[in-house]
DNA sequence: CGCAGTGTTGACACCGTTCAACCCTAGTGG
DNA sequence: CCACTAGGGTTGAACGGTGTCAACACTGCG
């Protein structure tokens, strides 16, 4: 099993001392397993806790009339959701687990304690928040201005980097246990066109996606097709070529 | 002249006492006038201050190859930019004034002071941040899943509500001193198609846009065309029908 | 007056959608 | 062990919304 992905992420956003590392570990004690389809935070609800993804995959999505929906973010292990909403708002979208996932819950009180007494950790949380914001902005650009091929490539490359950043890439492969329809809902394409687009990427030997696992075969080419500029990840994707980050 | 729009906005996000009101006013003392086209924060820069828009209009945008660009947010009076970036990051996009604008600058030190000593104001800032985030997400939905007519309608209605929330709507009119190309860059459409779409809205008598001023003639119809759900503004757009909010 | 930027309109092309048929696989139950 | 089913993926054909290109109109300004 890899190390706690949330801890890994917090460490990349700032140097935590031993005490703070212990504190982060203790935060992730209260765990819960949710199965695929569970709505952690339905639209309209008032969450009283903040979730930390420890394993699995979740997404934020908004649905419009007629069953159409748009996914506006993926939550991978290490991500945490809705610091602000838990403190002062109502969900304007839904957070849903896409596969069986393990999450830790921390209370608003614990969050306040962090903000008051843990400057290094606070800084790391702010950084994570900044990256989340930048990522949504990049999605506007991606879904708005790039053609289907680049768009799908961009998303799969982003997810590759984000998984790599928390040690979840092995031999250029990461798990992506979602359907093409989910990918379509994230890229604002139709499921049919996502299928065609993936076929093209596969035929060009850029990547494989089977058994719920994405394998990047030509990283450089994929990045090029995607027109990817990693700035928006603010360093979280710097280990673009993870070397032997195996489970251990 | 209307009241300080930043103060108006902070007050809608929490009850500030007299002392805090004074403090907010004092924050907006150090003003600066920037002309159209000024890049307040170019991509790649490390801002050391936080801006507050007092008048005018600005946008965040990212450009791709070949001069294409995507606007990812508009900044109207009362908005403030980049709390987090000023504290810990580099700009991954550009903030640019679209017309001559008046901005106040506050230093990172002052921000820290607020976070440490002004709980009500801190709360209001967090709320503003939450709404900014929710707004970008809504843009993903808007640009990704709605047809051109609804998309343009949605954006113009959003801007209507946001101007109303800071007292900048009079007789269902607000100033929007931008070009159709700007609108196209925000909605991920071409300028030509924006032109056609606006013509349709005009022909249906829903709105007018001339002399850099948008006049909403059939609010209910516009909302309907847009498929607008105001949830994401978290109450900031509740005064949907401002009654005689005249300059005074 | 001339110019440049902006907006409008028409013709046409194209990317992506929709609809439909079909395949493949995993899971279920007999 | 096989038959059946359901969901997901693939492929083809036709349609349509939006982009592109181009010409022209309008406006404000030097």
């Amino acid at each position: 099993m890899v190390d706690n992905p949330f801890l890994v992420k917090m460490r990349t956003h700032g140097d935590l001392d031993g005490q703070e590392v212990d504190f982060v570990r203790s935060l992730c004690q209260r765990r819960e397993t949710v199965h695929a389809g569970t709505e952690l935070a339905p639209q309209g609800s008032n969450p009283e806790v903040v979730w930390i993804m420890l394993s699995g995959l979740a997404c934020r999505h908004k649905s419009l009339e007629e069953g159409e929906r748009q996914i506006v973010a993926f939550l991978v292990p290490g991500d945490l959701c809705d610091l602000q909403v838990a403190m002062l708002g109502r969900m304007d979208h839904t957070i849903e687990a896409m596969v069986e996932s393990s999450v830790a819950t921390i209370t608003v009180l614990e969050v306040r304690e962090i903000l008051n007494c843990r400057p290094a950790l606070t800084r790391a949380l702010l950084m994570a928040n900044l990256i989340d914001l930048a990522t949504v902005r990049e999605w506007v650009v991606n879904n708005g201005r790039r053609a289907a091929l680049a768009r799908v490539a961009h998303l799969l490359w982003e997810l590759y980097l984000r998984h790599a950043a928390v040690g979840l890439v092995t031999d250029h492969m990461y798990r992506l246990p979602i359907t093409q329809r989910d990918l379509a809902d994230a890229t604002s394409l139709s499921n049919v066109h996502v299928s065609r687009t993936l076929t093209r990427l596969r035929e060009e030997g850029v990547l494989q996606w089977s058994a719920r696992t994405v394998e990047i075969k030509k990283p450089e080419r994929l990045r090029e097709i995607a027109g990817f500029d990693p700035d928006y990840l603010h360093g979280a994707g710097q280990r673009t070529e993870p070397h032997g980050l195996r489970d251990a």
Side-chain angles (χ1 to χ4, degrees), chain A residues 106-126:
Chain A
I106 65 184
T107 65
V108 177
L109 280 180
E110 287 169 316
V111 172
R112 283 193 214 284
E113 187 194 332
I114 294 172
L115 297 181
N116 290 330
C117 321
R118 307 269 176 188
L121 197 49
T122 297
R123 198 183 154 77
L125 287 181
L126 280 178

Side-chain angles (χ1 to χ4, degrees), chain A residues 18-94:
Chain A
Q19 201 198 15
E20 274 169 324
V21 169
D22 289 341
F23 181 73
V24 169
R25 284 223 176 82
S26 75
L27 278 180
C28 298
Q29 290 311 87
R30 193 166 46 252
R31 299 187 183 195
E32 203 176 317
T33 298
V34 297
H35 52 263
T38 303
E39 295 191 349
L40 286 171
Q43 182 165 353
S45 63
N46 285 280
E48 290 174 358
V49 295
V50 178
W51 292 272
I52 299 173
M53 295 290 298
L54 294 176
S55 75
L57 188 68
C59 71
R60 301 173 187 276
H61 66 84
K62 306 184 83 163
S63 12
L64 345 170
E65 327 62 76
E66 324 158 25
E68 287 209 298
R69 67 172 191 166
Q70 173 72 47
I71 292 175
V72 294
F74 286 114
L75 300 168
V76 308
D79 288 345
L80 87 169
C81 2
D82 289 289
L83 233 147
Q84 297 106 319
V85 173
M87 292 184 75
L88 36 78
R90 293 170 65 240
M91 292 297 295
D92 59 289
H93 61 276
T94 299

Side-chain angles (χ1 to χ4, degrees), chain A residues 216-234:
Chain A
I216 312 292
K217 303 196 133 172
K218 298 182 182 169
E220 206 40 56
R221 183 84 188 97
L222 183 59
R223 236 178 41 111
E224 189 181 316
I225 292 173
F228 198 95
D229 175 354
D231 257 19
Y232 72 96
L233 292 175
H234 289 269

